[in-house]
Amino acid sequence: MVRGLAVLLTGVCLLSLSGCATTSSPQASLHGDDAVMRHAAQALTAGDTTTAIAGFGDAAARNPADPDRQTLLAMAYARAANGDPEKLDMAAAGYDLALRGGQDAYWASVLAGKAAFERGRYGEAEAYFARAVLARPQDGRALLSLSISAYRAGDPALAAVAADRAAQLPQDPDYSTAAVRMAALSYAALGQGDTARAHVRTLALINPDLSGATAPRVEELIRTSQTDPIPSSVTYEAQPVTQVSVDVAIVLSQTTQQDAVGMNLLDGLKLQYGWQSQSSVTESQGVDISPHTRTITDAITLPQLTYSLNLFNRFGQFYSVVARPMLTAYVGETSDFFVGRTARVAVGGVNTATLESVDVGTKVTVTPVEINGDTTKLRIEVSRSYLSGDQVGTFAESLITFRQTVSATVEVGFGKTLILSGLSEAVRDSSSSRTPGLGHAPVVGSLFNRRQTTNRRDAVLILVTPAPAQAISAHPWARPETVERLISLWDTVVAPGSDMATITNQLSRSRLFKRGKASDASLDWPNLPHDEAEILGDLLLP
């Protein structure tokens, strides 16, 4: 299983999709990378996000599996965002890649949770902060952030438990006060009025003004909690799925290498006094459908794709997303997509001719075969054609197209990404420019004789992610997997010796809470750039 596209693109080079630039040995580049990262950190502290992104990007590209480098690069994107949704998505993609590379990436979890919370994705924020609590169970800030996110996500039971635990830990008085307030609001939302009022009284001893402002809201929640009854059981019936939507990303990889010898000082006069010859050789690489041409990994979103491509558009390579279509088809029916151009070719007799269309580009054809629960079997065919300058026989006007095809029948889970490779083209262009007489002279002839060779290799990578075209009915509310894991470990990791039976019973009776207000709970931590020094110190120091 591939951890992420950043690691995958490194492996793509090994699949002979495109030649990759060689890098120095790890021991030789270690000191240089350390200096680059420290320089980028200084730039980030000074507010120069452009230099910081460039520096952390170079370091992450050299070692994409390092979670600390990915976290720092993502944090630089977040600082540069200033509310820009695209840069915020890039930051979130970087945090996700950091979490793939390190299961205990505490700061990546925290920063990802804050980014998700700011975009109103409270369920995602709850899952991220739960992961942060698992990494550092005694960090009251992470517990308080989990409580706030759970409350806003409609999970007051978890919010109450997390707030109680955060209030018990020694920490900054401001965080302790906020934890007691969150506990009061959460228990009120659960309908446990006596417990909520007890927390309000505790809050009055700590901060009377905040207690006076919180008490009316607590009483309001207690009064209205009866309008949101706790369901005894939840039943659901899955609807049959007969359509599949397939998200397709077509990624173009280009590697160019140029070799030039000499220079021609009279190049501008070549039409009058010089001559130029140019040749082009196109090598069509045969396609072998071998096991390594198909890979299935976790779902790759567009921000993750863009973030990863930005990492690898360095070192003489260039990756770009050519197209991002969405295909929908019934089971047994075919849906296709084409991106490229259409050439009009004259065909016919001696004195008359007709025009015939020839498609040149990349075509994707998807046919769902069957759907089994949360997986689907697909028949996929990807073909690529491109023009060749070769001449047919003695005909001066001719057109040759090379065509490559990759086809596969695979079973992919909904939300997983299938990666197809094997479509590539190698082109070698050589040109020379020489001034007659002077270009043949020994020694000085190199000043009037220029030879250049360009080797270009293009490869197409296809990413296919299926999803059900119509929603499958399920439970109206469920906790993220990370949160469920946190709850299962609560009495051994977060709060050893706690009454887990009571906690589990309380959490199991939780329901979707829809009356939370933005004014009830705001998330102020982590705060960039205020907390930047602590994060940089943790991630940069050995």
Side-chain angles (χ1 to χ4, degrees):
M1 179 65 66
V2 183
R3 284 186 175 178
L5 188 59
V7 179
L8 170 68
L9 288 176
T10 305
V12 168
C13 304
L14 302 178
L15 300 182
S16 72
L17 277 176
S18 60
C20 291
T22 59
T23 58
S24 58
S25 64
Q27 291 182 350
S29 62
L30 181 62
H31 178 73
D33 282 357
D34 185 67
V36 168
M37 292 180 65
R38 291 185 181 278
H39 177 69
Q42 293 174 357
L44 185 64
T45 303
D48 185 0
T49 56
T50 302
T51 302
I53 290 174
F56 289 136
D58 286 341
R62 291 188 180 93
N63 189 2
D66 188 332
D68 292 347
R69 300 186 184 199
Q70 298 286 4
T71 301
L72 291 169
L73 176 58
M75 187 171 68
Y77 274 118
R79 276 288 307 275
N82 290 325
D84 183 354
E86 183 177 352
K87 284 190 173 62
L88 289 176
D89 284 340
M90 294 279 284
Y95 298 139
D96 283 337
L97 286 179
L99 291 170
R100 292 171 185 265
Q103 296 299 316
D104 297 328
Y106 170 78
W107 284 113
S109 302
V110 167
L111 293 168
K114 179 65 178 301
F117 189 94
E118 289 179 343
R119 289 180 293 172
R121 302 174 182 176
Y122 305 119
E124 293 181 15
E126 179 185 17
Y128 284 126
F129 283 117
R131 193 164 183 170
V133 170
L134 285 172
R136 296 187 184 180
Q138 302 304 313
D139 193 318
R141 299 173 301 178
L143 279 163
L144 177 58
S145 300
L146 172 63
S147 174
I148 295 172
S149 300
Y151 180 86
R152 295 292 297 276
D155 192 357
L158 179 59
V161 171
D164 269 343
R165 179 60 180 163
Q168 296 170 9
L169 295 175
Q171 57 183 320
D172 186 286
D174 290 340
Y175 287 109
S176 298
T177 302
V180 174
R181 179 178 179 275
M182 279 306 308
L185 292 170
S186 301
Y187 282 113
L190 285 171
Q192 300 181 20
D194 293 341
T195 306
R197 294 185 181 101
H199 281 85
V200 172
R201 291 192 293 270
T202 301
L203 184 61
L205 299 176
I206 303 173
N207 190 325
D209 294 337
L210 185 59
S211 173
T214 304
R217 176 58 178 159
V218 168
E219 294 299 326
E220 181 183 358
L221 289 171
I222 293 172
R223 290 195 305 270
T224 58
S225 62
Q226 299 303 319
T227 64
D228 193 8
I230 301 173
S232 58
S233 62
V234 179
T235 60
Y236 71 98
E237 181 179 356
Q239 300 297 323
V241 179
T242 58
Q243 298 181 69
V244 177
S245 292
V246 180
D247 188 12
V248 180
I250 303 175
V251 182
L252 176 64
S253 165
Q254 293 181 328
T255 302
T256 303
Q257 180 179 0
Q258 284 188 341
D259 296 314
V261 178
M263 59 182 297
N264 189 355
L265 298 179
L266 301 180
D267 230 356
L269 302 177
K270 62 177 179 276
L271 292 178
Q272 290 83 3
Y273 303 103
W275 60 275
Q276 182 179 26
S277 65
Q278 181 171 338
S279 63
S280 176
V281 179
T282 303
E283 301 170 1
S284 176
Q285 186 174 359
V287 180
D288 177 20
I289 305 304
S290 54
H292 72 257
T293 61
R294 297 189 296 272
T295 304
I296 297 176
T297 184
D298 291 338
I300 299 172
T301 63
L302 184 58
Q304 286 178 333
L305 186 59
T306 305
Y307 177 91
S308 299
L309 296 185
N310 282 354
L311 284 185
F312 288 90
N313 284 342
R314 306 163 190 263
F315 316 127
Q317 290 183 295
F318 176 73
Y319 294 90
S320 63
V321 180
V322 177
R324 188 68 187 266
M326 172 72 77
L327 305 178
T328 302
Y330 280 97
V331 173
E333 300 293 334
T334 299
S335 182
D336 57 42
F337 171 81
F338 172 78
V339 57
R341 56 180 175 172
T342 300
R344 306 285 286 179
V345 183
V347 296
V350 177
N351 296 321
T352 61
T354 58
L355 293 178
E356 182 176 331
S357 299
V358 177
D359 292 333
V360 180
T362 301
K363 183 178 182 179
V364 181
T365 302
V366 177
T367 305
V369 178
E370 61 183 36
I371 301 174
N372 299 314
D374 58 352
T375 65
T376 178
K377 181 178 290 186
L378 301 171
R379 184 162 55 248
I380 303 173
E381 181 174 325
V382 182
S383 61
R384 186 187 184 209
S385 57
Y386 48 91
L387 297 174
S388 170
D390 296 343
Q391 185 174 327
V392 179
T394 59
F395 293 95
E397 297 181 0
S398 61
L399 178 66
I400 291 181
T401 60
F402 284 97
R403 184 181 179 88
Q404 299 172 333
T405 301
V406 174
S407 60
T409 300
V410 295
E411 187 169 356
V412 188
F414 290 136
K416 300 293 184 180
T417 297
L418 169 70
I419 302 169
L420 289 173
S421 62
L423 305 177
S424 62
E425 172 191 3
V427 178
R428 181 177 182 272
D429 292 326
S430 61
S431 62
S432 63
S433 175
R434 182 168 56 210
T435 302
L438 294 175
H440 293 279
V443 183
V444 297
S446 60
L447 296 176
F448 306 93
N449 184 1
R450 185 174 186 272
R451 299 183 303 276
Q452 178 172 307
T453 301
T454 301
N455 294 312
R456 189 183 79 252
R457 194 176 189 88
D458 296 347
V460 174
L461 194 66
I462 310 295
L463 291 79
V464 180
T465 307
Q470 61 185 49
I472 301 176
S473 300
H475 294 282
W477 174 75
R479 290 191 179 93
E481 180 181 352
T482 307
V483 177
E484 293 289 357
R485 180 167 178 263
L486 171 70
I487 293 173
S488 67
L489 298 174
W490 191 275
D491 61 339
T492 58
V493 176
V494 181
S498 62
D499 186 0
M500 192 58 197
T502 304
I503 294 175
T504 304
N505 179 62
Q506 178 177 321
L507 293 177
S508 65
R509 299 175 67 247
S510 176
R511 81 285 190 194
L512 184 62
F513 175 66
K514 300 179 180 179
R515 298 186 307 279
K517 296 180 180 179
S519 58
D520 288 346
S522 59
L523 186 60
D524 301 324
W525 178 85
N527 180 17
L528 299 179
H530 180 269
D531 298 314
E532 223 165 56
E534 180 184 359
I535 300 173
L536 291 174
D538 280 355
L539 298 181
L540 289 178
L541 292 178

